[in-house]
Amino acid sequence: MSEKNSNKVGKVYLVGAGPGDPGLITVRGKSLLERAEVVVYDYLASPKLLKHVPKEAELIYAGKKGGVKHTHTQEEINQMLVDWAASGKTVIRLKGGDPFIFGRGGEEVETLAESGVPFEVVPGVTSATAAATYAGIPITHREHTASVAFLTGHEDPTKPGSNIDWAKLATGAGTLVVYMGIKNLPIIVKNLVDNGRDPKTPVAVVRWASTPEQRSVVGTLETIADIVRENEIKPPALIIVGEVVTLRDKIDWFEKRPLFGKRIVVTRTREQASELMAGLDENGANCLEYATIKIEPVDSYDELDEELERLHEYHWILFTSLHGVKYFFDRLHKKGLDARSLNGPSVAAVGRATADLLLTYGIRADLLPAVFTGEGLAESLLDQGVEGRNILIPRAEKAREILPETLRGAGAQVTVTPVYKNVAPQGKQQELRDDLASGKVNMVTFTSSSTVRNFLAMLGAESSDDVKLLMKDVVIAAIGPITAKTVTDNGLQVDIQPENYTIPDLVQSIVSYYTK
Ligand code: SAH
């Protein structure tokens, strides 16, 4: 029986998105996003969280950036939540930080309550505690302070009728954290000093806390307004006032990570970018993901299907990429077969990751070359003797011919079967060119020759001079010698190349480059 939508009761979940790092949402918040039908999200909620939302869900940006014209008024947002719920939807209202701390979350649920709409509220990590933590400032500390107050700096503190009793607050709490206070910073510090707080009290201002864009400056009540102006620190930022700020000298950890503040372009395929990005992220880098390759199935699997019928005739099957493994086994499974079809031939993998993936399909590679390249694999096979051997290579539609050619040259019978194809995705050209031209990018990483070629194709460069100009101040990291050669063949220089051609080694070399 089909359910009538009008009978379904909608519900609104006010969910704290956390301060910026998408990893700082609660488990409850994430699981709600995973079953959202409508998401109404703010400027301060990390857009990266939207990847948890089902594809069919409606995404509504509610805006609200201080000083900029609001996309929707608060009343419109309140009404929108009521209307969507009334139409039977599961609505997630995703708000930066904690919904009930200076986020007008209270007003939103008041409207829901008045309208009889069912709702729940999921707290979040508020930006005050996150900014303190990520700036290396324990917000309370036994030796420095036993109390903390959160206040808004949005109100003009000179106006009569301000909700903030500065006379009491100035010395009333050990640590003060001020939200939305950048514009009024000079008046805020004056008010604190005028009301008895020591002008030498340390102050930190932290912008975009917990994200790769985080920036912090430190001063005292006397100096901080000038420091913020000189350093052009803009909202969103928090002001932390109190003796605890001095602890930052000792325990600043986030901004001290080796790659902090470095913008690194990752050019792997979307599917494979994660390991490299995770490694770079872990070291504090700001990864800009440009998936230069999109992996797609080949148009026809007739060729592969024929080979799958006669796998027993092969002496060797060579897997030269992760995708080769994946698409080969996907098709095998689709045909109702499994790893047992490979009980005849020996299996070789080009590198460790490919061998590891094979293992997850139930196959332990019989051969792993000393050097993880097509040439390395060819050499290891030649050592075993390939004359008269039947060899199958399931791989990309377009790939280097060195492996099959070398093997044929040594008398092997080689069948190359395309199981997937690489295509360069379109559409990000201007964004990439702008990022490079503005000097925003510190490094570009390449993990295969096709990432180099597709990267250049994506740049849409007119000439090699155009490329050189765009890449003038950009450091280039290449995973191995073949990739590096493709880079130099295109008139660019390789600055970083690990000794071993693996992602962890690449990450390590990048870290060493910036720490040496
Ligand atoms: N509900 C939110 C606060 C919303 S008010 C929370 O709990 O964090 C908006 C203010 O929050 C901004 O003006 C800024 O002062 C602060 N803020 C939010 N995210 C921030 C971040 N990542 N870094 C620094 N300040 C942030």
Side-chain angles (χ1 to χ4, degrees):
M1 221 174 70
S2 79
E3 190 191 24
K4 263 216 258 119
N5 210 33
S6 54
N7 290 343
K8 199 179 134 206
V9 182
K11 187 163 177 178
V12 177
Y13 297 86
L14 236 73
V15 174
D21 178 339
L24 291 176
I25 192 171
T26 60
V27 174
R28 170 86 177 136
K30 177 172 170 260
S31 80
L32 286 170
L33 281 179
E34 283 163 354
R35 55 189 182 82
E37 290 174 295
V38 180
V39 180
V40 183
Y41 63 102
D42 276 353
Y43 169 62
L44 286 171
S46 169
K48 290 199 174 139
L49 287 171
L50 299 177
K51 71 163 191 257
H52 300 304
V53 176
K55 275 198 195 72
E56 1 14 290
E58 187 99 26
L59 297 178
I60 300 163
Y61 177 58
K64 290 191 135 240
K65 187 173 167 184
V68 175
K69 192 174 165 288
H70 291 172
T71 313
H72 297 277
T73 63
Q74 188 62 49
E75 291 64 38
E76 282 168 358
I77 294 170
N78 296 353
Q79 194 53 48
M80 189 155 47
L81 298 177
V82 172
D83 293 346
W84 278 114
S87 72
K89 301 288 188 195
T90 299
V91 184
I92 309 299
R93 173 70 176 113
L94 189 64
K95 300 178 71 69
D98 182 279
F100 277 0
I101 299 187
F102 301 125
R104 304 188 70 171
E107 293 163 52
E108 291 176 14
V109 290
E110 270 179 306
T111 313
L112 297 174
E114 285 158 13
S115 314
V117 173
F119 65 85
E120 276 185 35
V121 185
V122 181
V125 175
T126 189
S127 53
T129 54
T133 304
Y134 283 76
I137 301 169
I139 211 164
T140 71
H141 190 288
R142 245 165 14 123
E143 280 163 29
H144 299 275
T145 174
S147 60
V148 54
F150 293 169
L151 37 148
T152 169
H154 190 54
E155 304 189 344
D156 182 344
T158 59
K159 262 197 201 143
S162 159
N163 282 323
I164 296 174
D165 188 340
W166 293 94
K168 287 198 177 126
L169 266 173
T171 51
T175 307
L176 299 173
V177 188
V178 188
Y179 292 72
M180 298 175 278
I182 294 304
K183 207 170 113 244
N184 288 333
L185 182 60
I187 318 173
I188 292 167
V189 292
K190 179 172 182 302
N191 253 33
L192 291 173
V193 173
D194 287 354
N195 285 291
R197 193 80 185 221
D198 182 349
K200 299 270 182 274
T201 308
V203 182
V205 171
V206 188
R207 179 171 200 248
W208 278 128
S210 82
T211 75
E213 308 283 343
Q214 177 173 318
R215 252 193 98 195
S216 315
V217 291
V218 176
T220 63
L221 283 177
E222 274 174 326
T223 61
I224 195 72
D226 288 339
I227 293 173
V228 161
R229 189 169 30 79
E230 281 155 20
N231 287 280
E232 298 179 30
I233 306 284
K234 304 266 184 291
L238 283 154
I239 305 158
I240 306 173
V241 181
E243 289 306 320
V244 285
V245 170
T246 53
L247 294 164
R248 171 176 161 83
D249 287 343
K250 218 188 284 174
I251 55 184
D252 175 21
W253 58 275
F254 183 70
E255 293 171 35
K256 287 253 169 72
R257 292 168 310 157
L259 302 181
F260 185 78
K262 300 282 179 268
R263 294 202 178 87
I264 302 182
V265 169
V266 173
T267 56
R268 286 205 90 145
T269 62
R270 176 141 310 134
E271 294 78 8
Q272 292 183 317
S274 46
E275 193 193 353
L276 180 56
M277 296 227 292
L280 296 174
D281 264 0
E282 183 66 27
N283 286 289
N286 184 359
C287 295
L288 310 174
E289 188 186 358
Y290 283 98
T292 58
I293 297 182
K294 220 164 93 208
I295 303 297
E296 285 181 359
V298 286
D299 299 333
S300 156
Y301 278 101
D302 292 351
E303 261 183 75
L304 177 60
D305 289 351
E306 262 176 49
E307 300 308 330
L308 293 180
E309 297 290 322
R310 56 184 206 104
L311 290 178
H312 56 275
E313 293 173 21
Y314 285 99
H315 298 101
W316 281 102
I317 303 181
L318 314 183
F319 288 98
T320 54
S321 69
L322 293 172
H323 295 299
V325 174
K326 180 182 173 295
Y327 280 88
F328 179 91
F329 280 94
D330 281 358
R331 191 67 194 173
L332 190 74
H333 292 167
K334 218 172 225 156
K335 303 243 93 186
L337 300 167
D338 63 23
R340 286 170 295 182
S341 299
L342 282 82
N343 68 356
S346 299
V347 173
V350 70
R352 171 77 49 210
T354 308
D356 288 347
L357 184 62
L358 274 170
L359 208 50
T360 68
Y361 288 96
I363 300 290
R364 187 178 296 282
D366 301 288
L367 179 80
L368 196 61
V371 180
F372 296 166
T373 61
E375 286 84 344
L377 182 54
E379 201 166 303
S380 299
L381 280 161
L382 293 193
D383 285 348
Q384 310 237 340
V386 293
E387 171 132 39
R389 306 262 104 183
N390 259 335
I391 301 178
L392 177 67
I393 312 180
R395 62 166 208 187
E397 209 169 64
K398 278 193 207 121
R400 295 189 311 134
E401 292 305 325
I402 187 84
L403 177 62
E405 271 168 15
T406 311
L407 297 174
R408 282 188 192 117
Q413 190 70 40
V414 181
T415 307
V416 171
T417 305
V419 296
Y420 68 96
K421 60 182 174 185
N422 289 324
V423 289
Q426 306 296 318
K428 282 239 200 162
Q429 180 164 318
Q430 202 50 48
E431 193 183 328
L432 178 58
R433 289 183 71 95
D434 290 348
D435 278 354
L436 290 170
S438 64
K440 214 176 123 180
V441 174
N442 298 95
M443 178 184 290
V444 176
T445 57
F446 294 116
T447 50
S448 69
S449 291
S450 18
T451 61
V452 182
R453 282 191 290 269
N454 288 353
F455 175 80
L456 294 170
M458 190 156 65
L459 278 182
E462 303 281 307
S463 63
S464 68
D465 283 347
D466 180 27
V467 175
K468 274 187 207 153
L469 192 66
L470 282 171
M471 299 289 285
K472 184 166 51 86
D473 300 318
V474 178
V475 176
I476 294 181
I479 195 163
I482 311 286
T483 308
K485 181 162 184 307
T486 312
V487 172
T488 50
D489 285 351
N490 283 285
L492 297 169
Q493 250 182 22
V494 175
D495 306 285
I496 297 172
Q497 194 188 314
E499 231 165 82
N500 298 311
Y501 324 146
T502 70
I503 297 286
D505 285 287
L506 178 61
V507 171
Q508 201 40 55
S509 309
I510 293 172
V511 169
S512 316
Y513 178 86
Y514 281 115
T515 47
K516 74 171 176 254

